[in-house]
Amino acid sequence: MTGTQDGGTYDAIVVGLGGIGSAAAYRLAAAGGGRRILGLEQFELGHDRGASSDVSRITRLSYHRREYVELAIEAQASWREIERACGETILTITGGLDLAPPNPAESIDDYAAAMTAAGVGFEWLDAVEVARRWPTWRLDPDTRAIFQEAGGIADPERGNGAHQHLARAAGASLLERTRVSAIDDRGGELSVRTDDGRRFSTGSVVVAADAWTNELLEPLGHALPLTVTREQVTWFEAPNPAAFDPGRFPIWIWLGRPSFYGLPTYRGPGPKVAEDVGGRVTSAGGRTFLTDPDCLARVETFLAARMPGSIGPAVRTKTCLYTLTPDRDFVIDRLPEHSGVIVALGSAHAYKFAALLGTLLAELALDPTRPAPGPELEPFAIDRPALATSTTNLATTA
Ligand SMILES: Cc1cc2nc3c(=O)[nH]c(=O)nc-3n(C[C@H](O)[C@H](O)[C@H](O)COP(=O)(O)OP(=O)(O)OC[C@H]3O[C@@H](n4cnc5c(N)ncnc54)[C@H](O)[C@@H]3O)c2cc1C
């Protein structure tokens, strides 16, 4: 322990203060009971090296499996709670359009079945009806579409800021520029070491480190089969800006191969469009911030065919990291070998769920007697067979 400073004792420590970790820090602090909660972030809060730094992410109830639909309903309610607590608008509901060409990457019928099972209403639309409602679209007659009215935009810049502000107001200590170098478990006695030579003792650790997750888990003997890709989103000029107003134009997902998604104009120069899993494999430490002209060309080709005349030149492209499990399902679970360590990994489609995941993680972290998350989180178990493989299914789930 020479040279290591005692950083104090905390009931729970969150490692990583992106979208999910900030939510967990707030929910832990809000649980009250005089508990001491610490959040540690290696960079400055709001940095853009991870996955949650942008002004818009898609939120939607339309999902391919019932459990996601049900979680998405709860997650939107959680976001509304955060909005009320901080007095800011985080969700902007625009409606959501899922568009499936023949031979889609994901079955649009699965979306319909999952929403039906969860009691969520939606409309089937054909290509003519889509073009009637939103004349920007030019679809082939065999394109099938679903419109679900609760789709929209979740704002990470505001959402993360709100969670961090509320966490501090509820008594949590959030330290930025404080990288965790290791998590130690000595017979159930947990501590976290930081690069600046401090050691913090704790009852539980929530690892919300996304692309950096394995740097923390590998020394604990549990590496996950993760693939990190450098993705990009592009804002385009719109010759008729009113056509992409969030009050008029819905978020959309093209379930084709490749798959694309887009959002109306929101706190940016125009509509935002991206290819889902269009980026190259990289690593959190080895990534660059260079944009990929081939990926942009694929987006532009798609837009030229599907929204001819409605989209102008690209104005800005921003890169961001996807961290993918082989089945693209989340990991929300305790480490089997170290039950005080809880892993939260969103597999590149979790921003919309962050406000709810914070609550679920806080419940796990504050109740060491609870062996595992409840049945609703069973698909996200860390010991599921898909995590014993090393191949990633790159099907769409923005
Ligand atoms: C281009 C793009 C588009 C997306 N679109 C959508 C969408 O439309 N809808 C949706 O729901 N989701 C979407 N996602 C996915 C969503 O953004 C992520 O799932 C979510 O933001 C992940 O949050 P996180 O907190 O796990 O990760 P991050 O925000 O990356 O946070 C992890 C944090 O941990 C910190 N950290 C790591 N290691 C350490 C350490 N050792 N010590 C201290 N701190 C550490 C990092 O610095 C980072 O701040 C998209 C992602 C990308 C990249």
Side-chain angles (χ1 to χ4, degrees):
M1 291 271 286
T2 319
T4 305
Q5 243 184 298
D6 180 9
T9 300
Y10 289 84
D11 294 285
I13 295 178
V14 179
V15 183
L17 294 173
I20 296 175
S22 299
Y26 166 55
R27 297 295 179 170
L28 281 161
R35 293 185 183 89
R36 298 190 74 209
I37 306 302
L38 179 65
L40 299 171
E41 167 54 50
Q42 62 183 340
F43 303 122
E44 70 282 2
L45 294 179
H47 71 88
D48 70 351
R49 300 169 185 85
S52 313
S53 62
D54 204 336
V55 295
S56 56
R57 291 282 186 258
I58 286 176
T59 175
R60 59 191 164 97
L61 304 188
S62 172
Y63 249 93
H64 60 303
R65 292 215 313 264
R66 178 184 179 160
E67 60 265 31
Y68 281 114
V69 179
E70 288 171 346
L71 287 175
I73 296 168
E74 279 188 71
Q76 287 198 342
S78 297
W79 280 119
R80 293 303 188 198
E81 207 185 299
I82 298 301
E83 287 181 326
R84 285 191 294 277
C86 73
E88 275 222 77
T89 300
I90 298 167
L91 298 188
T92 300
I93 298 304
T94 63
L97 199 53
D98 296 302
L99 300 156
N103 188 28
E106 272 196 303
S107 159
I108 196 166
D109 294 302
D110 288 351
Y111 281 60
M115 284 191 279
T116 302
V120 169
F122 61 90
E123 290 176 82
W124 279 108
L125 307 179
D126 62 16
V128 174
E129 181 58 15
V130 171
R132 191 188 69 74
R133 294 189 193 188
W134 303 285
T136 40
W137 283 107
R138 183 173 300 169
L139 302 173
D140 294 336
D142 51 7
T143 307
R144 300 167 71 213
I146 281 177
F147 178 74
Q148 206 291 317
E149 64 184 18
I153 299 163
D155 184 327
E157 199 174 273
R158 290 186 184 163
N160 298 349
H163 276 133
Q164 290 157 8
H165 170 78
L166 293 169
R168 282 180 162 148
S173 300
L174 306 186
L175 305 184
E176 48 188 345
R177 298 184 184 87
T178 308
R179 182 178 168 273
V180 171
S181 48
I183 299 166
D184 296 317
D185 184 353
R186 301 210 174 114
E189 303 237 318
L190 283 178
S191 63
V192 159
R193 270 181 286 146
T194 52
D195 275 357
D196 58 10
R198 282 182 283 178
R199 181 187 291 278
F200 301 89
S201 302
T202 186
S204 54
V205 181
V206 175
V207 177
D210 211 38
W212 293 264
T213 300
N214 276 335
E215 288 180 13
L216 293 162
L217 298 195
E218 270 169 18
L220 292 168
H222 200 120
L224 291 169
L226 302 176
T227 304
V228 177
T229 61
R230 192 187 73 232
E231 302 293 326
Q232 64 189 38
V233 296
T234 300
W235 284 263
F236 289 88
E237 221 171 87
N240 173 14
F244 292 98
D245 187 276
R248 134 130 215 79
F249 192 77
I251 60 99
W252 57 271
I253 297 180
W254 176 262
L255 297 166
R257 303 165 198 264
S259 170
F260 300 94
Y261 62 91
L263 299 93
T265 304
Y266 175 83
R267 296 186 65 201
K272 185 170 107 173
V273 185
E275 182 182 1
D276 186 45
V277 204
R280 295 167 197 226
V281 172
T282 183
S283 64
R287 65 85 61 93
T288 68
F289 291 82
L290 298 173
T291 57
D292 177 347
D294 296 338
C295 181
L296 178 57
R298 287 191 293 276
V299 170
E300 287 176 330
T301 302
F302 173 82
L303 291 173
R306 299 294 161 209
M307 296 189 190
S310 295
I311 296 272
V315 182
R316 183 180 165 226
T317 297
K318 178 183 188 311
T319 63
C320 180
L321 295 179
Y322 268 15
T323 303
L324 302 155
T325 54
D327 54 6
R328 280 204 80 172
D329 283 330
F330 305 154
V331 179
I332 309 286
D333 206 349
R334 297 182 186 284
L335 269 190
E337 309 84 355
H338 306 279
S339 63
V341 179
I342 294 149
V343 181
L345 192 117
S347 204
H349 61 112
Y351 196 80
K352 64 182 80 57
F353 300 99
L356 173 67
L357 293 179
T359 302
L360 300 172
L361 292 164
E363 283 169 5
L364 269 181
L366 294 179
D367 185 359
T369 61
R370 211 169 135 184
E376 78 279 15
L377 294 183
E378 231 168 61
F380 313 135
I382 202 161
D383 60 356
R384 64 182 186 264
L387 297 187
T389 70
S390 56
T391 45
T392 295
N393 167 14
L394 300 180
T396 182
T397 8

